[in-house]
């Protein structure tokens, strides 16, 4: 029992040290380990006063750090920035006639593979993004992030035969944040697909390909092509992506006008959809003329470049980090579709590595038995290392470390480049089955940690507050599928279309019941989105003219 408490305290101490360094993913792993060591010990924790006190002590400390992190951002998840569309939520702004004239002139020199138009609705969003501090900042950051994925998105859209400027739907959807999640609808990823529907993306307890930039982009491009083929107009296809093809078709049938702007003027679109198209057109025009609208400071993030290896076994991302010499958070950022710190055990997975490291990965991983890659570590020997010091660092026995590396316990490490470290497998959390029956001693914190979800998500899925929960209760530990109800004539939340199969209108995202202003003012109503964001490093910037150059080189 004393040994168990020492192991728990050591895991917590390691996690706290990582937390104080700002290494939140690493901290969460150690906190998970501290809690799971107790829950999986086979000992009746509540039946032993010493263990019960230790359990409560650890839970309270983890909860305190989570609360502290929440005050600074999103707890153990990196902070999320609002999309430009969300920044325009509940903003009413008048249109300057001079701006309309200026934008109309700029439109004449704007190169786009979409049929761009200029009117007071588009000009209103140009005004907001160009001349308000909040609008300018969020669009600026979206443009910067777009640099990470632009080349990939352009390639995929060319493959699928859709206009390149459809890339700017990501401005409205996610601001080019691959782990964006809409708080109301649970739509996720750059293109905000819903968590249900057959759109050709894998989603299970280990992987959610809505968050994979390339795979979700291909699904998006194919769906946009399907909408265009169905509706015959790119503006209507964009509106259908937001509101649903069936809804757009009914609006066309009702009015007899297969024209987005006519549906807008006749008040046959919900407020969110009315503004969806003009805000995207505004982004396209600004992207083509950045300096004219005050975006001369745009510095595109460099493209995300990776090596990709296909693994057919479970491997811990901490081991991947060891093997390629990159921080864990960088490995996580390169693999945003992974929901856990390990790859799936029963399916192949395309593991993205820092560019130029695939060969190193293959060479080093060969030293570790495939069945041990979900727990063992790899240590590059540094000056001053001994078997005993490395064993202490990873909390393994010196004898086991020596044996795994075919060394004697008395061996020095002179001439040894690296060691494999036989870390014991951590107690595996129960498999995501959707529902979990609360056990005596559980709290929301320990359950959230155990299943690799955030405390905020667990509370939201189960309509709970605080951290205490009664034993015997059934909790959702994975995102529950939305209940499908017959339409009541009132839209709530946002839902995204999933595939070309079946009736897309039943799977398209719904708009919020936003008010519909017309004429020379535009008003948006959105729900704010949240994100399990993956961290990505900011690298040396490009010249601002790249934004205009990349927009015009088509």
């Amino acid at each position: 029992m004393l040994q168990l408490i020492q192991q728990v305290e050591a895991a917590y101490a390691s996690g706290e040290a990582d937390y104080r360094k700002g290494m939140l993913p690493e901290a969460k792993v150690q906190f998970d380990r501290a809690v799971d060591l107790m829950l999986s010990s086979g000992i009746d924790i509540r039946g032993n006063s010493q263990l019960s006190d230790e359990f409560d002590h650890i839970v309270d400390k983890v909860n305190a750090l989570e609360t502290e992190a929440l005050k600074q951002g999103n707890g153990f998840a990196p902070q999320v920035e609002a999309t430009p569309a969300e920044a325009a939520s509940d903003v009413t702004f008048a249109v300057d006639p001079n701006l309309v004239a200026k934008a109309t002139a700029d439109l004449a020199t704007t190169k786009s593979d979409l049929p761009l138009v200029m009117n007071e609705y588009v000009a209103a969003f140009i005004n907001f993004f160009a001349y308000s501090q909040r609008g300018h900042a969020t669009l600026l950051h979206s443009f910067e992030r777009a640099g990470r994925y632009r080349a990939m998105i352009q390639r995929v859209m060319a493959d699928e035969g859709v206009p390149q400027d459809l890339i700017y739907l990501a401005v409205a959807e996610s601001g080019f944040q691959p782990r964006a999640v809409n708080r109301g609808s649970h739509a996720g990823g750059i293109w905000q697909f819903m968590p249900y529907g057959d759109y050709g993306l894998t989603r299970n307890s280990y992987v959610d390909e809505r968050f994979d930039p390339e795979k979700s982009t291909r699904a998006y491009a194919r769906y946009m092509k399907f909408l265009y083929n169905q509706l015959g107009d790119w503006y209507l296809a964009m509106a259908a992506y937001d509101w649903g093809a069936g809804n757009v078709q009914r609006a066309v049938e009702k009015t007899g006008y297969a024209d987005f702007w006519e549906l807008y003027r006749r008040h046959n679109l919900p407020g969110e959809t009315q503004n969806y198209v003009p805000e995207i057109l505004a982004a396209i025009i600004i992207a083509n003329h950045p300096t004219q609208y005050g975006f001369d400071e745009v510095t595109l993030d460099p493209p995300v470049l990776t090596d990709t290896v296909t693994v057919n076994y479970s491997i811990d991302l901490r081991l991947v980090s060891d093997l390629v010499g990159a921080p864990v958070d960088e490995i996580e950022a390169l693999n945003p579709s992974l929901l856990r710190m390990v790859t799936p055990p029963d399916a192949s997975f395309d593991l993205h590595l820092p560019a130029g490291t695939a060969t190193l990965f293959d060479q080093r991983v060969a030293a570790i038995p495939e069945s041990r890659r979900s727990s063992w570590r790899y240590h590059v020997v540094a000056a001053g290392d001994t078997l005993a010091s490395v064993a202490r660092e990873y909390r393994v026995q010196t004898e086991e470390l020596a044996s795994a590396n075919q060394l004697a316990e008395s061996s020095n490490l002179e001439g040894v480049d690296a060691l494999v470290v036989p870390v014991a497998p951590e107690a595996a959390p129960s498999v995501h089955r959707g529902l979990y029956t609360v056990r005596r001693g559980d709290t929301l914190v320990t359950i959230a940690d155990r299943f690799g979800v955030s405390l905020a998500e667990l509370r939201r899925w189960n309509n709970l507050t605080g951290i205490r929960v009664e034993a015997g209760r059934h909790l959702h530990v994975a995102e529950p599928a939305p209940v499908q109800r017959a339409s009541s004539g009132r839209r709530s939340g946002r839902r995204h279309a999933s595939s070309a199969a079946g009736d897309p209108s039943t799977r398209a995202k719904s708009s919020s019941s936003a008010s519909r202003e017309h004429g020379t003012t535009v008003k948006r109503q959105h729900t704010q989105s949240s994100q399990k964001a993956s961290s990505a490093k900011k690298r040396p910037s490009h010249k601002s003219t790249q934004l205009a150059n990349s927009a015009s080189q088509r």
Side-chain angles (χ1 to χ4, degrees):
M1 184 176 66
L2 180 59
Q3 184 180 11
L4 173 61
I5 291 176
Q6 289 174 340
Q7 290 175 335
V8 170
E9 288 288 348
Y12 174 81
S14 178
E16 184 178 31
D18 288 338
Y19 176 85
R20 298 304 178 193
K21 296 174 185 176
M23 300 163 60
L24 300 186
E26 291 87 344
K28 188 178 184 304
V29 167
Q30 292 303 322
F31 292 151
D32 286 346
R33 175 172 168 75
V35 172
D36 272 338
L37 279 169
M38 301 195 75
L39 293 178
S40 62
S41 65
I43 302 173
D44 181 3
I45 295 174
R46 292 305 180 191
N48 183 294
S49 60
Q50 190 174 1
L51 283 179
S52 180
D53 289 345
E54 175 68 11
F55 181 82
D56 289 340
H57 177 60
I58 290 294
V59 167
D60 288 344
K61 290 199 293 186
V62 170
N63 186 53
L65 291 181
E66 173 95 5
T67 301
E68 180 180 301
L70 284 168
K71 291 178 181 178
Q72 302 172 25
N74 290 339
F76 290 122
Q79 193 167 357
V80 181
E81 181 180 67
T83 68
E86 291 164 342
S89 176
D90 298 324
V91 172
T92 301
F93 36 89
V95 176
D96 181 354
N98 294 325
L99 177 62
V100 175
K102 178 181 184 302
T104 300
D106 289 336
L107 188 63
T109 60
T110 300
K111 295 181 180 180
S112 175
D113 46 11
L114 287 175
L116 301 183
V117 301
M118 175 54 59
N119 54 36
E120 65 268 31
Y121 313 125
V122 177
F125 279 97
I126 291 177
N127 181 69
F128 176 68
F129 291 140
Y131 303 117
S132 76
Q133 182 177 358
R134 185 169 53 154
H136 184 279
T138 54
L139 187 60
L140 171 65
H141 296 159
S142 290
F143 283 162
E144 289 175 338
R145 284 189 295 266
R148 303 175 193 171
Y149 310 107
R150 176 183 295 279
M152 176 274 292
I153 293 173
Q154 289 177 334
R155 171 175 53 80
V156 171
M157 289 188 170
D159 289 346
E160 299 299 332
V162 298
Q164 293 284 311
D165 272 340
L166 288 178
I167 185 177
Y168 291 103
L169 264 73
V171 167
E173 296 297 336
S174 67
F176 293 96
Q177 298 175 99
R179 288 300 300 252
V181 177
N182 183 283
R183 182 175 298 169
S185 69
H186 310 307
I190 288 178
W191 307 108
Q192 292 290 282
F193 283 107
M194 284 298 292
Y196 53 84
D198 179 20
Y199 37 78
L201 299 174
T202 298
R203 187 171 186 269
N204 54 42
S205 61
Y206 283 87
V207 174
D208 190 336
E209 288 181 346
R210 294 180 301 156
F211 302 119
D212 183 295
E214 181 161 352
K215 290 181 179 179
S216 66
T217 294
R218 194 166 296 279
Y220 159 72
R222 289 175 178 175
Y223 189 69
M224 287 302 297
K225 180 192 285 188
F226 167 77
L227 291 175
Y228 176 77
N229 290 338
Q230 187 175 37
L231 298 168
D233 179 87
W234 283 115
Y235 289 170
L236 292 179
M238 292 159 70
Y241 192 79
D242 183 73
W243 191 29
N247 290 326
V248 172
Q249 286 175 324
R250 283 187 286 274
V252 169
E253 292 168 1
K254 178 181 177 181
T255 63
Y257 288 97
D259 179 83
F260 173 82
W261 301 111
E262 193 63 38
L263 296 179
Y264 191 128
R265 285 187 286 270
R266 289 173 174 269
H267 315 315
N268 290 112
L269 299 170
E272 179 185 282
T273 307
Q274 288 181 168
N275 295 314
Y276 188 76
V277 173
E279 75 188 6
I280 294 165
L281 299 184
I284 294 172
I285 292 169
I286 292 173
N288 276 272
H289 306 278
T291 56
Q292 287 96 312
Y293 295 101
F295 284 81
D296 49 318
E297 74 273 38
V298 173
T299 53
L300 299 180
D301 287 354
V304 175
L305 302 176
T306 66
D307 284 356
T308 301
V309 295
T310 300
V311 296
N312 299 295
Y313 48 82
S314 183
I315 183 168
D316 194 294
L317 296 191
R318 289 168 295 181
L319 174 58
V320 177
S321 170
D322 297 340
L323 296 172
V324 301
V328 172
D329 59 351
E330 182 176 353
I331 303 301
E332 285 190 292
L334 294 178
N335 295 277
S337 66
L338 270 183
L339 302 179
R340 302 188 183 191
M341 288 292 288
V342 294
T343 62
D346 303 318
S348 64
F349 180 78
D350 291 334
L351 180 66
H352 302 302
L353 306 172
T357 63
T359 300
L360 182 64
F361 174 87
D362 288 338
Q363 291 171 346
R364 289 179 168 180
V365 79
I368 298 178
E370 186 173 302
S371 62
R372 305 296 187 185
R373 292 172 187 174
S374 61
S375 60
W376 282 24
R377 301 289 296 275
Y378 184 92
H379 179 84
V380 176
V381 175
D385 280 347
T386 65
L387 282 173
S389 69
V390 174
R392 283 195 301 272
E393 180 178 347
Y394 292 93
R395 301 182 185 88
V396 300
Q397 298 297 317
T398 303
E399 179 184 3
E400 295 173 351
L401 179 63
S403 176
N405 291 276
Q406 301 180 26
L407 297 171
E409 285 187 66
S410 58
S411 299
N412 62 45
L413 298 181
E414 184 177 351
V416 177
D417 294 326
L419 298 170
V420 296
V421 185
V423 177
E426 297 179 4
S430 300
V431 176
H432 271 65
R433 298 186 184 277
L435 288 176
Y436 170 73
T437 302
V438 178
R439 297 181 294 183
R440 188 173 59 176
D442 282 346
T443 70
L444 293 184
V445 174
T446 62
I447 296 170
D449 286 344
R450 190 171 180 80
F451 285 92
V453 301
S454 73
L455 181 60
E457 287 174 322
L458 192 62
R459 286 170 173 160
R460 185 176 71 248
W461 296 337
N462 296 281
N463 297 316
L464 295 172
T465 58
I467 65 169
R468 302 297 178 183
V469 61
E470 66 273 15
R473 176 165 178 167
H474 298 295
L475 295 183
H476 290 288
V477 292
E479 184 177 294
V483 176
Q484 300 299 302
R485 297 184 176 88
S487 173
S488 62
R490 180 179 179 83
R491 294 173 293 272
S492 61
R494 299 180 63 185
R495 297 194 299 149
H496 262 303
S498 56
S499 77
D503 179 7
S505 66
T506 64
R507 286 171 274 110
K509 65 176 184 178
S510 299
S511 317
S512 60
S513 53
S515 59
R516 307 173 186 178
E517 277 74 27
H518 302 275
T520 59
T521 61
V522 180
K523 188 173 183 179
R524 297 190 52 87
Q525 292 186 357
H526 271 280
T527 55
Q528 294 294 317
S529 69
S530 63
Q531 176 188 37
K532 295 179 180 176
S534 61
S535 56
K537 293 186 177 179
K538 185 92 171 190
R539 303 180 191 267
S541 58
H542 294 233
K543 295 182 179 179
S544 63
T545 53
Q546 275 195 293
L547 185 64
N549 291 342
S550 59
S552 62
Q553 290 174 354
R554 302 192 178 101

